[in-house]
Amino acid sequence: MTHRQDDRKILITGAGGMLGTDLVTALDPHFEVSGLEKRPVAHLSVPYDICDLTQSRKTRDAILSCRPNIVIHTAALTDVDYCEDHHDEAEENNVGATINIVDACNELDVPVIFFSTDYIFDGSKKGPYSETDTPCPVNFYGQTKLRAEQYILEKAKRAVIFRITWLYGIWGRSFPKAILRQAAEVKKMTVVNDQVGRPTYSWDVAQAMLTVLRDKRDVMEAKGGEIFNLGNEGTVCWADFARFILKTADLGAVRVEDIPSTQLKRPAPRPLNSVLSLEKAQKVLGLKLRPWKEAVTEFLPRWKGEKEAQEQKAKAQAAEKENIA
Ligand SMILES: NC(=O)c1ccc[n+]([C@@H]2O[C@H](COP(=O)([O-])OP(=O)(O)OC[C@H]3O[C@@H](n4cnc5c(N)ncnc54)[C@H](OP(=O)(O)O)[C@@H]3O)[C@@H](O)[C@H]2O)c1
């Protein structure tokens, strides 16, 4: 049995999402963790309330009745192309929900940790983006995340914003899973080679949050808001990232053909340069995430194991149902 070292209550929004689930797993042994989710999530291992965060009254009630010491707000509408075609929904989920959470946190006088994105930049800079560079999003998702940031910086009594980038993890949709799914069906695939970023493992972000919450309380408790970039070390384009995934998964025979972004007809444009400078988080918080290749190498077998376990569980449940019938 693990023993909690800290009795602070942490409330995680989007607790069943990609980052939310890893945060739950990383933080639960150390803190009293609970969650908020839009609908029931079978894999969630901590108590959680169902709450649509776009509903201000319900969100306020859920947060005030939980009385957390810190809220970690990961919930968002993260499908970038869907956001481009559904502006109202994106605005409500990414900006409206954040306003509701910040207002409730202010009432309780507790800090909020928010996750933002490299997509607040237009990608035209030569070299990594620092926290002080001027945002200029090229898609609607990026615009909503920027408006959420701005509300936090203007209104939150205490807040920390982590801008993360090219996230992947065990739970939810992500690039490595899409590549492996395609590789099961084709011998050749096309991937863009002119967008560069830092593939970032959500488990490593969750571990970094554990460090911040345990050892960097002063940052959390400071008045106002502070922004930090966070990501695994190293940079790569999507096509080379795909090649590395395939090689590591022993699927090196599947060919990746480079294409420019202009050939990929998607509703939302993406920045060509998504590389965020990691200097500030290293200097101020001592956070240095491992190189992205190391993280991917650990992720792939872990995800395979989790997938097999889920499949076995589903089979056992189906067999049990048949027996009962
Ligand atoms: N994924 C990336 O590459 C990336 C990159 C940079 C930054 N980020 C940011 O990092 C954070 C975490 O991303 P992620 O990829 O872990 O997200 P995710 O897997 O899409 O999870 C988001 C979770 O939030 C829930 N949610 C959405 N709207 C909600 C609402 N109105 N009320 C209650 N719950 C709601 C979703 O529930 P449903 O699934 O039921 O809708 C889902 O469980 C987000 O803030 C995102 O903007 C992500």
PDB file of all heavy atoms in Angstrom, residues 48-59:
ATOM      1  N   TYR A  48     -14.709  10.642  -8.883  1.00  0.00           N
ATOM      2  CA  TYR A  48     -14.888  11.801  -9.761  1.00  0.00           C
ATOM      3  C   TYR A  48     -16.371  12.125  -9.908  1.00  0.00           C
ATOM      4  O   TYR A  48     -17.222  11.251  -9.752  1.00  0.00           O
ATOM      5  CB  TYR A  48     -14.247  11.573 -11.139  1.00  0.00           C
ATOM      6  CG  TYR A  48     -14.886  10.489 -11.986  1.00  0.00           C
ATOM      7  CD1 TYR A  48     -15.781  10.811 -13.012  1.00  0.00           C
ATOM      8  CD2 TYR A  48     -14.592   9.153 -11.767  1.00  0.00           C
ATOM      9  CE1 TYR A  48     -16.350   9.822 -13.803  1.00  0.00           C
ATOM     10  CE2 TYR A  48     -15.168   8.161 -12.549  1.00  0.00           C
ATOM     11  CZ  TYR A  48     -16.042   8.496 -13.561  1.00  0.00           C
ATOM     12  OH  TYR A  48     -16.617   7.517 -14.331  1.00  0.00           O
ATOM     13  N   ASP A  49     -16.631  13.393 -10.201  1.00  0.00           N
ATOM     14  CA  ASP A  49     -18.002  13.836 -10.455  1.00  0.00           C
ATOM     15  C   ASP A  49     -18.174  14.044 -11.947  1.00  0.00           C
ATOM     16  O   ASP A  49     -17.247  14.482 -12.631  1.00  0.00           O
ATOM     17  CB  ASP A  49     -18.274  15.190  -9.770  1.00  0.00           C
ATOM     18  CG  ASP A  49     -18.523  15.009  -8.289  1.00  0.00           C
ATOM     19  OD1 ASP A  49     -18.948  13.901  -7.888  1.00  0.00           O
ATOM     20  OD2 ASP A  49     -18.265  15.972  -7.537  1.00  0.00           O
ATOM     21  N   ILE A  50     -19.386  13.754 -12.420  1.00  0.00           N
ATOM     22  CA  ILE A  50     -19.716  14.080 -13.806  1.00  0.00           C
ATOM     23  C   ILE A  50     -20.156  15.541 -13.819  1.00  0.00           C
ATOM     24  O   ILE A  50     -21.064  15.934 -13.075  1.00  0.00           O
ATOM     25  CB  ILE A  50     -20.887  13.203 -14.306  1.00  0.00           C
ATOM     26  CG1 ILE A  50     -20.528  11.710 -14.220  1.00  0.00           C
ATOM     27  CG2 ILE A  50     -21.300  13.611 -15.730  1.00  0.00           C
ATOM     28  CD1 ILE A  50     -19.529  11.230 -15.223  1.00  0.00           C
ATOM     29  N   CYS A  51     -19.476  16.342 -14.619  1.00  0.00           N
ATOM     30  CA  CYS A  51     -19.808  17.771 -14.661  1.00  0.00           C
ATOM     31  C   CYS A  51     -19.380  18.343 -16.009  1.00  0.00           C
ATOM     32  O   CYS A  51     -18.209  18.232 -16.387  1.00  0.00           O
ATOM     33  CB  CYS A  51     -19.060  18.482 -13.529  1.00  0.00           C
ATOM     34  SG  CYS A  51     -19.215  20.255 -13.568  1.00  0.00           S
ATOM     35  N   ASP A  52     -20.322  18.935 -16.720  1.00  0.00           N
ATOM     36  CA  ASP A  52     -19.969  19.629 -17.956  1.00  0.00           C
ATOM     37  C   ASP A  52     -19.476  21.021 -17.556  1.00  0.00           C
ATOM     38  O   ASP A  52     -20.246  21.852 -17.061  1.00  0.00           O
ATOM     39  CB  ASP A  52     -21.195  19.721 -18.875  1.00  0.00           C
ATOM     40  CG  ASP A  52     -20.862  20.429 -20.174  1.00  0.00           C
ATOM     41  OD1 ASP A  52     -19.793  21.064 -20.258  1.00  0.00           O
ATOM     42  OD2 ASP A  52     -21.683  20.353 -21.103  1.00  0.00           O
ATOM     43  N   LEU A  53     -18.203  21.251 -17.758  1.00  0.00           N
ATOM     44  CA  LEU A  53     -17.561  22.473 -17.261  1.00  0.00           C
ATOM     45  C   LEU A  53     -18.032  23.733 -17.969  1.00  0.00           C
ATOM     46  O   LEU A  53     -17.725  24.844 -17.543  1.00  0.00           O
ATOM     47  CB  LEU A  53     -16.042  22.346 -17.393  1.00  0.00           C
ATOM     48  CG  LEU A  53     -15.427  21.162 -16.650  1.00  0.00           C
ATOM     49  CD1 LEU A  53     -14.004  20.927 -17.118  1.00  0.00           C
ATOM     50  CD2 LEU A  53     -15.458  21.394 -15.150  1.00  0.00           C
ATOM     51  N   THR A  54     -18.787  23.570 -19.055  1.00  0.00           N
ATOM     52  CA  THR A  54     -19.310  24.761 -19.721  1.00  0.00           C
ATOM     53  C   THR A  54     -20.510  25.315 -18.947  1.00  0.00           C
ATOM     54  O   THR A  54     -20.941  26.434 -19.190  1.00  0.00           O
ATOM     55  CB  THR A  54     -19.749  24.464 -21.175  1.00  0.00           C
ATOM     56  OG1 THR A  54     -20.819  23.527 -21.153  1.00  0.00           O
ATOM     57  CG2 THR A  54     -18.606  23.916 -21.998  1.00  0.00           C
ATOM     58  N   GLN A  55     -21.030  24.525 -18.019  1.00  0.00           N
ATOM     59  CA  GLN A  55     -22.175  24.989 -17.217  1.00  0.00           C
ATOM     60  C   GLN A  55     -21.656  25.636 -15.933  1.00  0.00           C
ATOM     61  O   GLN A  55     -21.135  24.946 -15.054  1.00  0.00           O
ATOM     62  CB  GLN A  55     -23.096  23.818 -16.913  1.00  0.00           C
ATOM     63  CG  GLN A  55     -23.642  23.208 -18.204  1.00  0.00           C
ATOM     64  CD  GLN A  55     -24.724  22.198 -17.951  1.00  0.00           C
ATOM     65  OE1 GLN A  55     -25.248  22.078 -16.847  1.00  0.00           O
ATOM     66  NE2 GLN A  55     -25.067  21.458 -18.988  1.00  0.00           N
ATOM     67  N   SER A  56     -21.792  26.951 -15.849  1.00  0.00           N
ATOM     68  CA  SER A  56     -21.104  27.683 -14.782  1.00  0.00           C
ATOM     69  C   SER A  56     -21.600  27.296 -13.390  1.00  0.00           C
ATOM     70  O   SER A  56     -20.813  27.086 -12.476  1.00  0.00           O
ATOM     71  CB  SER A  56     -21.207  29.186 -15.009  1.00  0.00           C
ATOM     72  OG  SER A  56     -22.551  29.562 -15.098  1.00  0.00           O
ATOM     73  N   ARG A  57     -22.908  27.193 -13.220  1.00  0.00           N
ATOM     74  CA  ARG A  57     -23.475  26.901 -11.896  1.00  0.00           C
ATOM     75  C   ARG A  57     -22.986  25.523 -11.400  1.00  0.00           C
ATOM     76  O   ARG A  57     -22.504  25.376 -10.287  1.00  0.00           O
ATOM     77  CB  ARG A  57     -25.007  26.929 -12.025  1.00  0.00           C
ATOM     78  CG  ARG A  57     -25.773  26.728 -10.783  1.00  0.00           C
ATOM     79  CD  ARG A  57     -26.133  28.054 -10.123  1.00  0.00           C
ATOM     80  NE  ARG A  57     -25.874  27.932  -8.701  1.00  0.00           N
ATOM     81  CZ  ARG A  57     -25.726  28.957  -7.902  1.00  0.00           C
ATOM     82  NH1 ARG A  57     -25.747  30.180  -8.345  1.00  0.00           N
ATOM     83  NH2 ARG A  57     -25.525  28.779  -6.618  1.00  0.00           N
ATOM     84  N   LYS A  58     -23.106  24.534 -12.302  1.00  0.00           N
ATOM     85  CA  LYS A  58     -22.712  23.160 -11.943  1.00  0.00           C
ATOM     86  C   LYS A  58     -21.214  23.092 -11.632  1.00  0.00           C
ATOM     87  O   LYS A  58     -20.789  22.400 -10.721  1.00  0.00           O
ATOM     88  CB  LYS A  58     -23.043  22.194 -13.084  1.00  0.00           C
ATOM     89  CG  LYS A  58     -24.497  21.785 -13.087  1.00  0.00           C
ATOM     90  CD  LYS A  58     -24.714  20.585 -13.976  1.00  0.00           C
ATOM     91  CE  LYS A  58     -26.183  20.199 -13.922  1.00  0.00           C
ATOM     92  NZ  LYS A  58     -26.625  19.462 -15.083  1.00  0.00           N
ATOM     93  N   THR A  59     -20.425  23.800 -12.435  1.00  0.00           N
ATOM     94  CA  THR A  59     -18.968  23.769 -12.238  1.00  0.00           C
ATOM     95  C   THR A  59     -18.606  24.410 -10.897  1.00  0.00           C
ATOM     96  O   THR A  59     -17.811  23.867 -10.125  1.00  0.00           O
ATOM     97  CB  THR A  59     -18.257  24.522 -13.394  1.00  0.00           C
ATOM     98  OG1 THR A  59     -18.677  23.917 -14.622  1.00  0.00           O
ATOM     99  CG2 THR A  59     -16.765  24.451 -13.279  1.00  0.00           C
TER     100      THR A  59
END
